[in-house]
Amino acid sequence: MPGWLFLVRLAGFLGLLAKPRQYWPDPTKEPIPSEEECILESFSSPKWGIYDPALITVNGSSGGSMGDIRFLTMNTATGLVANCTANNIELDPKGPDALEFWHNCSVPNLVFQFNLTSFELRLKGTWTCGESKLKFAANGTWEEPLIQGCLDDWEAPRGQEILCIMGNSQVWGGLSSPVNITPQLPLLPYTPQEPPWRCVDRSVDPQWQISNMLYQRRNSQPDKESLESHYSLSLDLLNLSNNEIIVCNITVDQSKGVANKDGSVPWVDCQNTAKNNITSTSIMFDTINGLLGVKQSWNCSDGIEGVERNDFTGTAYLKTNLKCGKPLSLDVQDSEGSVIGTSSGYNCTLNETTTDFAGYSPEAPVSMPHTSYSKSCTMGSIINTTSLSLQNYEITELSPGAKVGTFTLFNPGSGDTYHLSRIPVQDDGAWHECNAADSTNAEPYPWQLVSCRYSLDRKSHRISFQIQWYCDDRDPSHAILFDATASTAVLPAEKCDDAKSSCRLPINGTAEVAMPVSSLTWTSLSGPMGRGPILPWI
């Protein structure tokens, strides 16, 4: 008996003990996904349901590899059903072309193949969603299908036939179009329904509780030349693994920016956190995305000495919902009582008195996205990047022939706003980098931008931008690089000061200048984007 047949029979016996067989859902009763639902599913978890699969081998006991394979399938994105059947085929193709033998299903653009040696079923297909112009293409593999039972027929016309019934399953697809990614579902922390009794067991899936959180933001401008900004954060942090609580206080100076050069938010060690079984605590507070991060190390005392570890590290992220008071503004006076500046600030607390949240041990997964999963930079960039919005425009002449520009661009596709502050500009209509490498006045790009070029022609009242940005919310291991070119038709007339040293566009409030996108391309990369704040699959 061939080895594969012995394993099939053994698996079939165990499969019969494992669970009853499932059946094909009635497609006439299944709701058809809408175009929006289809696109969301295609980008998030493209897959085919597999129903009533069966394998027939002919003379398999004597080494035969001819036979039949059949199953029903449904594309979960489109709701389209198909019958996939191949009769009298070579089930165990050999040679360099073995993976080139594909069999058609009953609907166009869906093919499959089966390999008896590896016992794998592969699917490959393309589809569209409603009236959308997007064309999706994906392929996936069903590895080692579960055999639920086999029957022998010694009197079949072709010889000994072995019919094996397999259990229902799903084939998850990796996209090759419109982007080359393998979409991942959110990797959320695990929260046990019943917490274990011991600290060492609870530490495997750590949890924390926050209470008495107070966020205080303070801005001051003691004179016209300087601006000071900082925030302080205090909270009570209870480690639910070892039930020790600490009072954490941090202060962050935001005068020179709130993030690292790569856009990530720095971790800050808590002050005065010494506890017997808490060895270190750090806090990361992303005020832009409203994320609170906790990184803590602790000890347990109930492990088996010499067998179990007693020291643990965990990381967790919490999407905060702050309730803030009204801003207060005060004048800053000198020793003679003259007003020389202003000071403002406000306080925020959590809406909830206490908040429990779960984390990862020892660290959060490496494949955490840097762009928000819920609003999907990937989907938005492909579908909604039809124009950019110019929300701020100012040209300042520092000296004859030396000008700097300040621009604010909103990208509705990714949902990002790019603030380009005081970049050297030339209004010759040619393409230039947004921040010249030889200029000490140029500020670095916003972290969302990979590259930026501009073309400015003030005489004809036109400005254009070529920008590149990353998205990685659907597959953090394979970021997508988008490239867009956008231009204005005719800019409004500039408004300049009396000396004509500073000129602005009449953009204020909600007014903005539309810049239609004339070119949009994207490329799937071979690695992560390596920049920006880490977002816990929000």
Side-chain angles (χ1 to χ4, degrees):
M1 177 184 296
W4 69 265
L5 185 56
F6 171 76
L7 293 176
V8 163
R9 292 184 181 276
L10 177 61
F13 174 74
L14 296 177
L16 287 172
L17 296 178
K19 61 180 181 179
R21 192 166 174 230
Q22 297 173 339
Y23 292 93
W24 167 249
D26 185 352
T28 63
K29 297 181 180 179
E30 294 293 321
I32 301 299
S34 65
E35 179 178 312
E36 182 179 352
E37 292 170 336
C38 175
I39 293 175
L40 177 60
E41 177 78 3
S42 299
F43 274 117
S44 304
S45 56
K47 57 186 176 293
W48 292 275
I50 304 296
Y51 302 92
D52 297 343
L55 168 68
I56 296 178
T57 60
V58 179
N59 297 321
S61 297
S62 56
S65 57
M66 296 295 292
D68 312 332
I69 181 78
R70 64 174 184 259
F71 59 92
L72 300 173
T73 183
M74 181 174 67
N75 186 318
T76 59
T78 63
L80 188 64
V81 300
N83 184 331
C84 299
T85 300
N87 297 319
N88 296 315
I89 63 170
E90 175 59 57
L91 296 171
D92 198 17
K94 304 292 185 183
D97 298 329
L99 295 180
E100 300 302 321
F101 295 101
W102 292 92
H103 310 287
N104 294 322
C105 296
S106 62
V107 297
N109 305 316
L110 180 61
V111 295
F112 72 99
Q113 63 180 204
F114 180 78
N115 186 280
L116 197 59
T117 298
S118 62
F119 216 66
E120 292 179 341
L121 176 70
R122 300 182 182 91
L123 274 173
K124 180 171 63 174
T126 62
W127 67 91
T128 57
C129 296
E131 300 298 322
S132 171
K133 296 181 180 180
L134 291 175
K135 183 177 181 179
F136 294 93
N139 60 83
T141 301
W142 184 18
E143 300 179 355
E144 299 183 358
L146 176 65
I147 301 298
Q148 294 192 324
C150 296
L151 296 173
D152 291 298
D153 184 356
W154 293 89
E155 299 179 357
R158 295 183 294 182
Q160 178 206 14
E161 290 189 356
I162 302 175
L163 167 64
C164 293
I165 303 299
M166 296 176 283
N168 292 353
S169 188
Q170 290 181 331
V171 174
W172 292 74
L175 288 178
S176 57
S177 177
V179 289
N180 188 15
I181 58 174
T182 301
Q184 299 182 24
L185 291 176
L187 303 175
L188 303 177
Y190 175 70
T191 303
Q193 291 185 348
E194 293 291 337
W197 286 97
R198 300 190 307 160
C199 171
V200 292
D201 297 324
R202 292 193 297 271
S203 298
V204 175
D205 300 299
Q207 297 181 64
W208 287 267
Q209 183 183 90
I210 284 182
S211 58
N212 299 322
M213 177 176 166
L214 176 62
Y215 169 76
Q216 296 180 301
R217 179 68 181 267
R218 297 292 181 264
N219 299 310
S220 62
Q221 190 169 8
D223 53 62
K224 295 183 179 181
E225 302 298 327
S226 61
L227 175 65
E228 298 176 358
S229 178
H230 73 274
Y231 76 79
S232 62
L233 182 69
S234 64
L235 53 88
D236 295 346
L237 182 64
L238 172 63
N239 185 316
L240 296 177
S241 295
N242 64 6
N243 291 318
E244 287 215 9
I245 188 171
I246 65 166
V247 178
C248 176
N249 297 286
I250 64 171
T251 301
V252 176
D253 182 1
Q254 295 182 305
S255 301
K256 298 182 179 180
V258 298
N260 298 320
K261 290 183 178 180
D262 63 357
S264 62
V265 179
W267 290 86
V268 182
D269 292 336
C270 291
Q271 304 168 8
N272 303 322
T273 62
K275 283 283 185 176
N276 291 334
N277 290 312
I278 301 292
T279 56
S280 67
T281 304
S282 299
I283 297 292
M284 181 278 296
F285 192 42
D286 183 344
T287 56
I288 295 177
N289 294 290
L291 291 176
L292 177 69
V294 172
K295 186 179 295 183
Q296 192 172 66
S297 297
W298 66 93
N299 296 320
C300 294
S301 58
D302 54 4
I304 302 175
E305 187 174 355
V307 177
E308 296 177 300
R309 55 180 297 190
N310 282 311
D311 57 313
F312 297 90
T313 299
T315 307
Y317 295 91
L318 173 67
K319 179 69 174 177
T320 59
N321 186 15
L322 295 180
K323 179 176 60 176
C324 300
K326 294 183 178 180
L328 300 176
S329 182
L330 300 173
D331 292 334
V332 177
Q333 300 178 342
D334 60 14
S335 57
E336 297 179 356
S338 300
V339 176
I340 59 174
T342 59
S343 175
S344 62
Y346 56 87
N347 297 343
C348 303
T349 59
L350 288 177
N351 276 334
E352 302 80 10
T353 305
T354 62
T355 302
D356 293 4
F357 59 107
Y360 307 90
S361 177
E363 298 285 347
V366 175
S367 58
M368 294 281 271
H370 294 73
T371 54
S372 177
Y373 187 93
S374 57
K375 73 177 183 181
S376 188
C377 171
T378 301
M379 294 171 56
S381 296
I382 292 176
I383 299 172
N384 297 327
T385 308
T386 57
S387 68
L388 304 180
S389 297
L390 181 63
Q391 298 180 337
N392 186 31
Y393 169 106
E394 181 179 2
I395 305 294
T396 302
E397 185 171 2
L398 302 177
S399 61
K403 302 181 183 68
V404 294
T406 296
F407 310 101
T408 299
L409 287 175
F410 173 65
N411 184 343
S414 64
D416 294 324
T417 300
Y418 313 128
H419 300 284
L420 305 173
S421 178
R422 298 180 64 82
I423 62 175
V425 295
Q426 301 180 51
D427 57 356
D428 55 4
W431 288 103
H432 302 278
E433 295 294 326
C434 290
N435 54 349
D438 58 350
S439 174
T440 57
N441 293 324
E443 296 187 4
Y445 292 141
W447 72 263
Q448 305 99 319
L449 278 182
V450 179
S451 69
C452 171
R453 298 203 305 162
Y454 74 91
S455 171
L456 176 64
D457 187 345
R458 299 172 74 188
K459 291 182 180 179
S460 60
H461 303 283
R462 295 181 185 275
I463 188 170
S464 303
F465 286 94
Q466 290 180 345
I467 60 174
Q468 291 183 325
W469 68 95
Y470 278 138
C471 293
D472 75 338
D473 54 279
R474 286 314 188 251
D475 185 358
S477 299
H478 302 90
I480 304 169
L481 179 65
F482 289 88
D483 190 315
T485 301
S487 306
T488 60
V490 177
L491 288 171
E494 296 178 355
K495 291 187 176 181
C496 305
D497 59 16
D498 294 338
K500 295 187 179 297
S501 60
S502 179
C503 298
R504 300 169 177 257
L505 288 184
I507 303 176
N508 55 71
T510 58
E512 55 191 34
V513 177
M515 302 182 65
V517 171
S518 58
S519 172
L520 175 66
T521 60
W522 53 82
T523 304
S524 298
L525 305 183
S526 58
M529 60 191 290
R531 61 169 69 191
I534 294 178
L535 303 178
W537 296 101
I538 61 173

